[in-house]
């Protein structure tokens, strides 16, 4: 905690904005409009007429430019001067196509006068983004990040989808797995408003292995908004963010006046002291803060309370995030949360799961609990300790039936001797096929790389 406060007192400097030669930028902006504002970085899926940026990855991006043009791209930006010279009507040379993409996105964003709301955090970013977009769309034409296009490529692509003549608000999700990444994304997106969902143990490997370093990286968004006179929404329910209130006197606090009423299993909340309880389609008490964040931003931007409530009630989780399913053939009640996993989110999911009843509320039929967890990735040197801590938590919560999947989960099994451990997903699938669960309440959670959603058909 002290580290987080020290960072508030001595913030890192802002990241430099991406810049290009004025003539090159003007040419690219003209090409962007000629392409109907269609931009692509993938030669396999390039839309007809799009402006293609040949970004370098494990392979040289310029090598894919001819294929992109053959597939229908209208123009290509490449770092190969000789290739560009062959046909200047089809190619533009840029020494760094990624920098060119980012500079073009910032230039386009500067033509937009509406609010740009940025959000980041260790957990709940995409859920909060979807909730917030749903709230704002009740009154405004709103552009929001598509899926999880939240990195140094995805953020520019999101901004270039802006219709500056028609869109009224933009919601931009920002992800990070190393220091200074949020600062760099803020320099590209130039947000006017922003929030951090929470600070947790995610991507520890890239952040130096400590929660303090995660906090410092995430709060780069606060630093940007402070320096540029933007509006900060501050989650006072997060122990690592609440102390920032002393350093951000102008911040808009939440979750109050919203209040959590229940989460059994769906979250029920009130938006203020005078409103009736509102039941949502989203599970997990930990999602209350995400709902409250969307309400706080919507309220600040002028959305009426009734419209906020209607939007939150209408949201239906997707993309393997906090999805609940019931299968009549098996009698199983499944919570699928297999999009991501880190020590903070897994701990929250387990604690919530422990509070759910061991019986069907409608029929009274017993529903003994089954926990199925996969590896938590990107924890670096802390992986063993964090996985063992999850094992201790499982034991402490008293779960009797636990399946652990993946090499990292071996450490969890060490701390939870009653659990059944599988080296990989295939072995777990074989066991579930031979021992299909029936009439169980099941939690299925793991990192994206584990792909645990493929086990759903067996459950």
């Amino acid at each position: 905690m002290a580290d987080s406060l020290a960072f508030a007192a001595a913030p890192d400097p802002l990241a430099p904005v991406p810049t290009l030669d004025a003539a090159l930028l003007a040419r690219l902006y003209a090409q962007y409009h000629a392409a109907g504002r269609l931009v692509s970085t993938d030669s396999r899926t390039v839309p007809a007429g799009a402006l293609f940026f040949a970004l370098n990855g494990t392979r040289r991006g310029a090598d894919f430019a001819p294929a992109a043009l053959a597939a229908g791209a209208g123009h290509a930006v490449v770092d190969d001067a000789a290739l560009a010279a062959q046909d200047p009507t089809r190619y533009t040379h840029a020494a760094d196509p990624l920098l060119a993409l980012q500079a073009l996105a910032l230039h386009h964003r500067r033509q937009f006068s509406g609010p740009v709301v940025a959000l980041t955090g260790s957990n709940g970013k995409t859920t909060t983004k979807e909730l917030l977009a749903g709230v704002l769309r009740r009154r405004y034409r709103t552009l929001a990040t598509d899926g999880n296009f939240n990195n140094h490529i995805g953020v520019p692509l999101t901004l270039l989808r802006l219709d500056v003549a028609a869109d009224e608000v933009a919601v931009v999700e920002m992800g990070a797995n190393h220091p200074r990444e949020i600062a760099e994304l803020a320099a590209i997106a130039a947000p006017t408003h922003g929030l951090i969902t929470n600070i947790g143990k995610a991507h520890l490997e890239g952040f130096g292995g400590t929660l303090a370093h995660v906090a410092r990286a995430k709060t780069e968004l606060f630093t940007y908004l402070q320096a540029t006179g933007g509006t900060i929404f501050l989650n006072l329910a997060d122990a690592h963010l609440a102390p920032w209130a002393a350093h951000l006197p102008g911040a808009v606090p939440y979750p109050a006046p919203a209040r959590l009423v229940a989460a059994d299993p769906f979250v029920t909340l009130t938006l203020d002291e005078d409103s009736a309880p509102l039941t949502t389609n989203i599970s997990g008490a930990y999602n209350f803060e995400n709902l409250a964040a969307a309400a706080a931003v919507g309220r600040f931007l002028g959305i009426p309370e009734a419209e906020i409530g209607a939007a939150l009630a209408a949201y239906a989780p997707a993309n393997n995030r906090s999805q609940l399913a019931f299968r009549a053939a098996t009698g199983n009640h499944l919570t699928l949360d297999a999009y991501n996993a880190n020590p903070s989110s897994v701990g929250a999911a387990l604690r919530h799961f422990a509070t759910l009843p061991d019986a069907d509320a409608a029929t009274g039929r017993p529903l003994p609990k089954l926990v199925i967890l996969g590896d938590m990735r990107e924890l670096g040197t802390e992986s063993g300790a964090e996985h063992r801590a999850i094992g201790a938590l499982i034991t402490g919560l008293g779960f009797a039936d636990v399946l652990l999947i993946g090499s990292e989960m071996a450490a969890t099994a060490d701390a939870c001797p009653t659990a059944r451990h599988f080296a990989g997903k295939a072995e777990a699938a074989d066991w579930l096929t031979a021992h299909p669960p029936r009439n169980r309440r099941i939690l299925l959670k793991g990192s994206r790389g584990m792909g645990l959603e493929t086990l759903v058909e067996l459950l």
Side-chain angles (χ1 to χ4, degrees):
M1 194 72 65
D3 285 339
S4 296
L5 294 176
F7 296 157
D12 290 328
L14 301 186
V17 299
T19 57
L20 281 183
D21 171 79
L24 175 57
L25 182 60
R27 182 179 181 188
L28 290 178
Y29 205 45
Q31 292 289 352
Y32 164 72
H33 283 290
R37 297 188 299 105
L38 294 174
V39 177
S40 175
T41 61
D42 189 339
S43 62
R44 299 165 298 181
T45 60
V46 61
L51 177 60
F52 175 73
F53 283 81
L55 305 184
N56 295 313
T58 56
R59 297 178 62 182
R60 183 169 174 263
D63 292 342
F64 295 90
L69 292 173
H75 200 84
V77 181
V78 298
D79 60 3
D80 186 331
L83 177 62
Q86 291 178 15
D87 188 353
T89 65
R90 305 297 307 280
Y91 295 99
T92 292
H93 174 255
D96 184 344
L98 175 59
L99 175 64
L101 174 69
Q102 295 171 340
L104 178 65
L106 174 59
H107 179 71
H108 182 61
R109 180 264 172 272
R110 285 173 170 163
Q111 317 311 308
F112 180 65
S113 59
V116 175
V117 184
L119 59 112
T120 188
S122 297
N123 299 299
K125 293 184 294 297
T126 300
T127 296
T128 303
K129 178 257 299 183
E130 295 293 339
L131 288 165
L132 178 53
V135 168
L136 295 176
R137 284 173 180 149
R138 293 282 165 160
R139 285 296 176 95
Y140 304 115
R141 175 161 164 161
T142 302
L143 172 80
T145 298
D146 187 17
N148 66 334
F149 272 48
N150 61 13
N151 65 4
H152 61 297
I153 298 171
V155 167
L157 291 175
T158 296
L159 296 170
L160 289 168
R161 289 173 45 227
L162 263 173
D163 184 339
V164 297
D167 289 330
E168 297 172 290
V169 183
V171 179
V172 181
E173 180 182 334
M174 296 179 176
N177 56 22
H178 61 264
R180 301 295 291 161
E181 191 169 4
I182 295 299
E184 292 163 3
L185 295 177
I188 297 168
T192 57
H193 303 69
L195 66 93
I196 300 171
T197 57
N198 49 57
I199 302 296
K201 294 179 178 180
H203 304 295
L204 288 179
E205 185 174 24
F207 288 128
T210 70
L211 201 57
H213 284 93
V214 175
R216 181 167 191 156
K218 296 298 183 181
T219 53
E220 289 166 5
L221 178 58
F222 287 172
T223 298
Y224 179 88
L225 291 167
Q226 276 186 296
T228 57
T231 300
I232 293 171
F233 299 89
L234 185 61
N235 182 6
L236 296 183
D238 186 273
H240 302 285
L241 291 173
W244 278 76
H247 300 272
L248 304 170
V252 179
Y254 75 91
R259 182 176 64 86
L260 176 65
V261 176
D264 184 21
F266 297 108
V267 176
T268 298
L269 72 160
T270 56
L271 296 180
D272 57 46
E273 58 272 12
D274 299 321
S275 65
L278 169 72
T279 299
T280 69
N281 297 306
I282 189 168
S283 68
Y286 48 86
N287 273 310
F288 164 67
E289 293 167 29
N290 301 331
L291 291 155
V297 178
R299 188 180 297 115
F300 187 86
L301 293 179
I303 309 297
E305 293 290 310
E307 294 295 311
I308 293 173
L312 298 182
Y315 172 73
N319 300 324
N320 305 320
R321 291 181 172 89
S322 299
Q323 290 177 256
L324 269 68
F326 167 72
R327 177 160 291 171
T330 64
N332 290 329
H333 292 238
L334 171 67
T335 299
L336 173 62
D337 196 356
Y339 187 82
N340 205 355
N342 57 58
S344 299
S345 67
V346 172
L350 287 169
R351 292 184 186 94
H352 170 69
F353 195 61
T355 68
L356 300 181
D358 292 311
D360 187 318
T363 66
R365 184 183 64 206
L367 282 176
K369 292 170 184 167
L370 170 62
V371 173
I372 306 176
L373 299 180
D375 285 348
M376 302 181 293
R377 302 282 179 84
E378 297 184 53
L379 297 179
T381 59
E382 300 301 311
S383 183
E386 295 295 346
H387 279 86
R388 281 189 292 275
I390 291 298
L393 177 61
I394 291 170
T395 300
L397 291 172
F399 292 116
D401 293 324
V402 181
L403 306 182
L404 304 174
I405 306 171
S407 59
E408 301 294 333
M409 277 290 158
T412 307
D414 288 343
C416 183
T418 59
R420 187 180 297 272
H421 177 247
F422 303 94
K425 189 171 59 173
E427 293 89 339
D430 289 343
W431 191 89
L432 288 168
T433 300
H435 306 85
R438 294 289 186 269
N439 300 313
R440 307 296 297 272
R441 192 184 296 279
I442 303 171
L443 171 65
L444 180 64
K445 186 167 179 62
S447 283
R448 177 87 296 274
M450 295 297 294
L452 293 189
E453 68 277 2
T454 60
L455 297 178
V456 168
E457 289 303 313
L458 301 175
L459 303 175

